Amino acid sequence: MFVSINWIKDYVDLDGLDIKKLINSFTLATAEVEDIIEKGADVQNVVVGEILSVENHPNSNKLHLLKVDAGSKVCNIVCGAPNVAVGQKVALALAGGRVCAGEIKVASVAGYESEGMCCSEKELGISDDHSGIMVLDPSLENGTDIKSIYPIDDIIFEVDNKSLTNRPDLWGHYGIAREFAALAGRELKPLELGDLSYDGDEKVDVTIGRKDLVYRYSCIKMDNITKNKSPLDMRIRLYYCGMRGINLLADVTNYIMLEIGQPTHAFAGNAIDNIVVTTPKEKMQFKTLDGVERTIDEETLMICNGDTPVGIAGIMGGLESEIIEDTGSVVLESANFDGVSIRKSSSRLGHRTDASARYEKMLDPELTLAAVGRFVKLVKDIDSGARVASKLTDEYVRKYPEITLSFDKKYVDRYTGIDISDEQITKTLVSLGFGVECESGNYTVKVPSWRATKDVTIKADIIEEITRIYGYDNFEIATTNSPLKPVPNDYARLEDAEIKDILVKKYGLHEVHSYIWCDGRKFKKLGIEVEDNVKVLNIESSENGVLRNSMLPTLLSMTQENKDFAEKFGIFEAGRVVDGTDENGMCNERKRLGVVLYDKSGNEKSLYFKAVEIINCIVGTVKQKEARYNKIAPVHAWQHPKNTAEILIDGEKVGVLCALHPANRSKLDKTAAAVCFEIDLGDFSAINASAIAFREPSTQQSTYYDLSIVIPENIKYSDIAACWETLGLSELESARVIDTYEKLGFRSITVRLVFAAMDRTLEMEEVQGWIDEILANLGKIGVTLRA
């Protein structure tokens, strides 16, 4: 939101104050200021000039040769504007002066010397209009500095909208002026409102059909409006604050919204006679002011003229009731709608406007009459012949409850830790609009209507008001005297950190972070369908409306986005998924670790065993246990139909390991391989870790024996390992797979068995005896040596 200091000065006397210092105080006390822009600094030596003569350039169809009286001299000007005419008063930038495009110099243009430039509004930085030169009031004296006539010099500061979310009163200049007045200790001037009196009988009938969605609806009719263009000083303010000039009535409504934060809408007077505020009985099509035809559902609040829709309440008016340049009669709507309803409607329509953004913040219903009075005042000031043509209609449907808070001086002292005087407390609250009664240190504070919609509701809020205006930087820095208590260990969190350390430090993986919802557009690139799950209500894009039930599609999308930056890499994230809902209808939220390994070499087999190695390391290091794997049918369509396995610890499933389905793999990269696994960190944490056992290493020479064995289809590695584990050989130090082979249904692995004794060097005959026993056990399950 852009704020004009010139506009603030209409309501607060800032003379003698350091404006930038005051803006900094506003940042510390109220809302974050992101930028300060000095408007008009690049406009220099631009004066009122009168065109004395106009001649066509002999060698150009577009250029004109002008003589312009600049007050102190007559200048020769070469000008290409199409609207030049003798007798016009124009903004003349003299040689040595500056405009937004840079310094003006005496220059030869198409063979003729030009001693300056006749400027458009855009070249002065006061609008986007570059259709022709800026034509001034003919009564202005030649040679007068343009800055002394129009408010070109201004300081604009940009306020972060997010910091205003809970302050609907600050979405207009008057609310911010109130803050400046409190910070500077200056008086806030009242708004000047127009006379709404009317002696006739005409009144705009208003019927509220959905009283649950409307707080207040005020309207009035004006006619005999003859002017259609707003004055330049108004258009400059609008432009500096991010809006363009349209026509008088549209500009005045925008001006009021930026001034007091209350959106209003002007309907063409001949298009309105009986206003009905309700929701449609069935879906319908409606064309808004921007020319877009929109689908309106049964929950969207509409403004109708009888049965004919003329506007979407709180969002945008309809094209049929649009104000045009020759509109002489207008019905002004100034209303307060339910903020939640407006937010939901704008989200469903995918159309958020300046008006809807303000309604969403829960505006003060008391503003509607102020906006009507302000509209009448501004229109009459600009067009003296305009008049009120109806009685005021004011349907006050619902009111926010009045809030009164009571506390004592001790409460303030206890919360602030400092002694703020009763006088300072009262002065601060009164300057912010609170009603204050104080008797013997006991306060009764009435919260003003513009702060009572959702902002100030409890006593602690009053403390915040007092301290922020007092100045947080004025608090004395002191060490607190508080007990320090040890924080109990969260073992699940410690395990998460240990797992991350393994993935990063040992295996060089990269941690990423993502959103909990599915990104349908990215999933589609991988051929992954968004599976049915819990949906987010009122989300603008249906593609992103489903909460994920697995970490892996999200990580695969990230892999695709980063695959061109490295030959091989791995990424992981410990994040949240939603596995449907529980018996109470609440999201069954789970924390899971997702890992994706990617390799452009395309060796899926080695990558698969790399993933196994990582899982085994995690389970062995964190739980001092062994992971087991069972082949399972794919749960998701993107999982490989054969190379998918569940991860088990002590027989309990904690996760899944898989390669990609060939169709999805080809969409990721036709030549590369990707393997992924997911561990449920809640299930993993529930597994009790084994006690760490220490074993003294043997000082004797070890020996190893490699067994190349053929494995039948139904045998798992855990079945094979049991063939030596059941023998209870203390001399067997380790057993690990060092090679695999598979072709045409023939499966073989090579297992290396390492033997060592604590007290002797083993003889080959002794080792061979153990090998024979192992082979005998293997034979019982159908495993044979490879020939």
Side-chain angles (χ1 to χ4, degrees):
M1 177 178 169
F2 294 100
V3 180
S4 162
I5 286 295
N6 284 349
W7 212 333
I8 297 295
K9 287 180 178 178
D10 285 355
Y11 305 110
V12 185
D13 180 9
L14 301 181
D15 288 348
L17 299 176
D18 185 328
I19 299 299
K20 290 187 177 180
K21 186 176 180 180
L22 188 58
I23 292 174
N24 182 61
S25 298
F26 179 83
T27 293
L28 295 174
T30 308
E32 181 182 355
V33 174
E34 295 185 322
D35 195 12
I36 299 176
I37 308 159
E38 295 189 28
K39 294 286 189 178
D42 48 2
V43 176
Q44 299 172 13
N45 204 17
V46 180
V47 301
V48 176
E50 181 180 359
I51 299 178
L52 303 178
S53 66
V54 178
E55 295 181 12
N56 293 329
H57 193 289
N59 301 320
S60 173
N61 293 328
K62 295 183 178 180
L63 296 178
H64 303 90
L65 306 177
L66 313 181
K67 288 191 179 296
V68 183
D69 183 0
S72 59
K73 66 174 183 176
V74 175
C75 301
N76 294 313
I77 306 294
V78 180
C79 179
N83 64 327
V84 293
V86 174
Q88 285 178 335
K89 294 292 181 80
V90 297
L92 177 64
L94 299 173
R98 296 186 67 86
V99 293
C100 292
E103 185 179 354
I104 302 299
K105 299 179 181 179
V106 176
S108 178
V109 180
Y112 287 81
E113 186 178 80
S114 183
E115 300 175 294
M117 181 175 74
C118 294
C119 303
S120 67
E121 291 183 3
K122 183 175 182 179
E123 286 159 339
L124 296 179
I126 57 176
S127 87
D128 282 331
D129 187 2
H130 195 48
S131 60
I133 59 173
M134 179 180 174
V135 180
L136 308 178
D137 186 337
S139 65
L140 296 174
E141 185 177 347
N142 295 345
T144 306
D145 191 321
I146 199 77
K147 288 187 176 182
S148 67
I149 305 169
Y150 300 111
I152 296 175
D153 281 334
D154 198 355
I155 296 177
I156 304 295
F157 61 94
E158 184 180 4
V159 180
D160 177 21
N161 288 349
K162 294 189 294 296
S163 62
L164 301 179
T165 300
N166 68 323
R167 292 291 304 273
D169 60 307
L170 296 184
W171 283 77
H173 279 72
Y174 194 71
I176 293 179
R178 183 184 294 109
E179 294 287 314
F180 272 57
L183 290 168
R186 302 284 176 93
E187 181 185 355
L188 178 69
K189 301 173 185 176
L191 282 168
E192 294 184 12
L193 305 179
D195 182 6
L196 305 184
S197 60
Y198 170 72
D199 296 331
D201 297 325
E202 185 169 347
K203 184 178 181 181
V204 180
D205 291 329
V206 174
T207 302
I208 309 298
R210 286 293 301 270
K211 294 187 177 183
D212 57 321
L213 302 181
V214 180
Y215 279 90
R216 191 174 192 177
Y217 195 97
S218 308
C219 68
I220 201 167
K221 187 174 184 178
M222 292 189 74
D223 64 10
N224 204 38
I225 301 169
T226 57
K227 295 185 178 180
N228 56 41
K229 190 172 184 178
S230 55
L232 184 58
D233 55 354
M234 176 178 285
R235 286 185 280 123
I236 290 174
R237 283 190 177 180
L238 290 174
Y239 183 71
Y240 282 179
C241 293
M243 306 194 96
R244 62 183 180 88
I246 302 172
N247 56 53
L248 172 61
L249 296 174
D251 289 352
V252 171
T253 59
N254 287 334
Y255 189 89
I256 292 170
M257 181 176 67
L258 294 180
E259 184 176 54
I260 64 175
Q262 171 64 44
T264 58
H265 185 74
F267 297 102
N270 57 7
I272 300 293
D273 51 40
N274 176 27
I275 293 176
V276 178
V277 186
T278 189
T279 51
K281 295 179 180 178
E282 58 185 16
K283 285 188 177 181
M284 55 174 282
Q285 298 298 117
F286 181 72
K287 187 173 286 188
T288 47
L289 282 172
D290 55 1
V292 177
E293 192 165 277
R294 305 181 187 277
T295 300
I296 308 299
D297 66 14
E298 298 87 343
E299 290 301 317
T300 300
L301 192 65
M302 299 294 293
I303 309 299
C304 303
N305 180 42
D307 295 328
T308 305
V310 293
I312 307 174
I315 299 176
M316 183 174 277
L319 195 61
E320 296 300 320
S321 60
E322 178 184 16
I323 296 293
I324 55 178
E325 288 191 358
D326 62 351
T327 298
S329 173
V330 64
V331 172
L332 178 75
E333 167 197 275
S334 180
N336 188 287
F337 306 111
D338 179 72
V340 175
S341 171
I342 299 300
R343 178 181 57 79
K344 289 181 177 180
S345 296
S346 63
S347 295
R348 287 193 300 268
L349 293 169
H351 188 55
R352 196 164 185 259
T353 62
D354 289 308
S356 68
R358 285 167 169 79
Y359 280 121
E360 291 172 11
K361 308 301 183 293
M362 305 295 188
L363 295 177
D364 176 17
E366 299 297 324
L367 284 175
T368 64
L369 288 190
V372 172
R374 195 72 183 129
F375 181 86
V376 172
K377 168 69 176 174
L378 291 171
V379 172
K380 283 188 173 183
D381 284 351
I382 297 167
D383 189 345
S384 58
R387 64 191 181 194
V388 174
S390 76
K391 294 180 179 179
L392 172 70
T393 302
D394 184 27
E395 297 292 330
Y396 208 147
V397 183
R398 291 193 294 161
K399 293 186 177 183
Y400 285 99
E402 291 186 356
I403 299 176
T404 301
L405 302 171
S406 299
F407 56 92
D408 57 20
K409 179 66 165 54
K410 292 180 180 179
Y411 178 81
V412 178
D413 294 344
R414 185 169 67 254
Y415 262 77
T416 62
I418 56 176
D419 182 16
I420 302 176
S421 67
D422 287 330
E423 181 184 0
Q424 179 68 30
I425 292 172
T426 301
K427 180 182 177 182
T428 297
L429 294 175
V430 170
S431 68
L432 293 171
F434 291 83
V436 181
E437 293 181 6
C438 179
E439 184 176 345
S440 302
N442 294 307
Y443 289 87
T444 302
V445 175
K446 183 179 179 181
V447 180
S449 60
W450 58 85
R451 300 296 299 278
T453 59
K454 67 172 185 177
D455 181 18
V456 178
T457 57
I458 58 177
K459 292 189 292 182
D461 295 331
I462 298 294
I463 300 299
E464 181 183 0
E465 296 301 301
I466 296 168
T467 53
R468 68 185 183 83
I469 299 300
Y470 179 83
Y472 297 123
D473 51 339
N474 292 325
F475 278 61
E476 181 182 351
I477 298 175
T479 303
T480 60
N481 183 16
S482 303
L484 292 178
K485 299 179 181 179
V487 178
N489 284 326
D490 182 345
Y491 289 103
R493 182 177 59 82
L494 295 176
E495 286 183 349
D496 292 353
E498 189 173 5
I499 291 171
K500 290 181 180 182
D501 282 346
I502 292 170
L503 295 174
V504 173
K505 296 177 180 179
K506 185 168 183 176
Y507 293 102
L509 272 59
H510 304 274
E511 185 176 11
V512 297
H513 296 282
S514 63
Y515 295 114
I516 194 172
W517 52 81
C518 300
D519 191 323
R521 180 178 56 82
K522 293 180 180 179
F523 285 14
K524 191 173 182 180
K525 292 180 181 179
L526 290 168
I528 297 175
E529 293 291 331
V530 176
E531 298 174 0
D532 187 37
N533 199 17
V534 179
K535 295 179 177 64
V536 179
L537 295 177
N538 304 315
I539 195 164
E540 292 184 8
S541 171
S542 59
E543 288 187 336
N544 295 344
V546 180
L547 300 184
R548 65 188 177 194
N549 57 13
S550 171
M551 297 290 299
L552 299 181
T554 303
L555 295 179
L556 287 168
S557 298
M558 290 185 168
T559 302
Q560 186 178 50
E561 292 173 342
N562 291 279
K563 66 182 182 180
D564 295 330
F565 299 107
E567 290 295 314
K568 60 181 180 179
F569 61 87
I571 60 174
F572 74 93
E573 179 183 8
R576 301 285 177 175
V577 303
V578 173
D579 190 10
T581 56
D582 59 22
E583 62 276 7
N584 299 317
M586 304 298 289
C587 286
N588 183 19
E589 193 172 336
R590 307 290 297 177
K591 186 176 183 181
R592 291 184 185 165
L593 170 72
V595 176
V596 173
L597 304 179
Y598 173 83
D599 191 344
K600 284 188 177 180
S601 69
N603 192 336
E604 186 173 86
K605 182 178 179 180
S606 63
L607 204 60
Y608 196 91
F609 283 109
K610 183 70 174 179
V612 171
E613 179 189 337
I614 294 173
I615 296 169
N616 290 342
C617 181
I618 290 173
V619 176
T621 304
V622 179
K623 295 296 186 181
Q624 294 81 49
K625 293 180 181 289
E626 290 186 0
R628 301 292 187 185
Y629 305 88
N630 274 341
K631 182 178 177 180
I632 59 171
V635 177
H636 307 284
W638 46 267
Q639 291 176 324
H640 198 283
K642 291 185 177 181
N643 298 330
T644 299
E646 60 182 357
I647 305 167
L648 305 171
I649 306 176
D650 290 346
E652 298 292 333
K653 180 181 176 181
V654 296
V656 64
L657 163 68
C658 68
L660 289 185
H661 190 286
N664 303 106
R665 175 181 172 180
S666 65
K667 287 184 178 291
L668 174 63
D669 194 320
K670 291 182 179 179
T671 61
V675 173
C676 45
F677 66 85
E678 185 172 31
I679 295 175
D680 189 299
L681 293 174
D683 293 340
F684 183 85
S685 179
I687 302 292
N688 293 323
S690 297
I692 298 176
F694 297 92
R695 178 181 176 183
E696 182 182 354
S698 174
T699 59
Q700 305 299 318
Q701 178 68 40
S702 64
T703 185
Y704 66 85
Y705 204 106
D706 291 343
L707 292 178
S708 295
I709 53 179
V710 179
I711 307 173
E713 181 67 27
N714 59 338
I715 296 300
K716 302 190 293 289
Y717 180 78
S718 58
D719 300 326
I720 296 170
C723 292
W724 54 76
E725 290 175 351
T726 55
L727 296 177
L729 299 174
S730 60
E731 291 84 359
L732 180 58
E733 280 197 337
S734 64
R736 63 187 181 94
V737 177
I738 62 172
D739 190 25
T740 63
Y741 177 80
E742 186 172 356
K743 189 174 184 181
L744 300 176
F746 179 84
R747 295 194 306 158
S748 173
I749 64 172
T750 299
V751 180
R752 175 163 293 175
L753 303 169
V754 180
F755 297 91
M758 297 296 293
D759 56 351
R760 68 191 186 283
T761 300
L762 296 173
E763 298 292 337
M764 193 60 204
E765 292 79 6
E766 188 178 9
V767 174
Q768 186 61 51
W770 296 327
I771 294 297
D772 291 341
E773 289 184 67
I774 292 171
L775 289 174
N777 286 342
L778 290 171
K780 293 176 183 178
I781 61 173
V783 176
T784 59
L785 285 175
R786 189 171 72 198

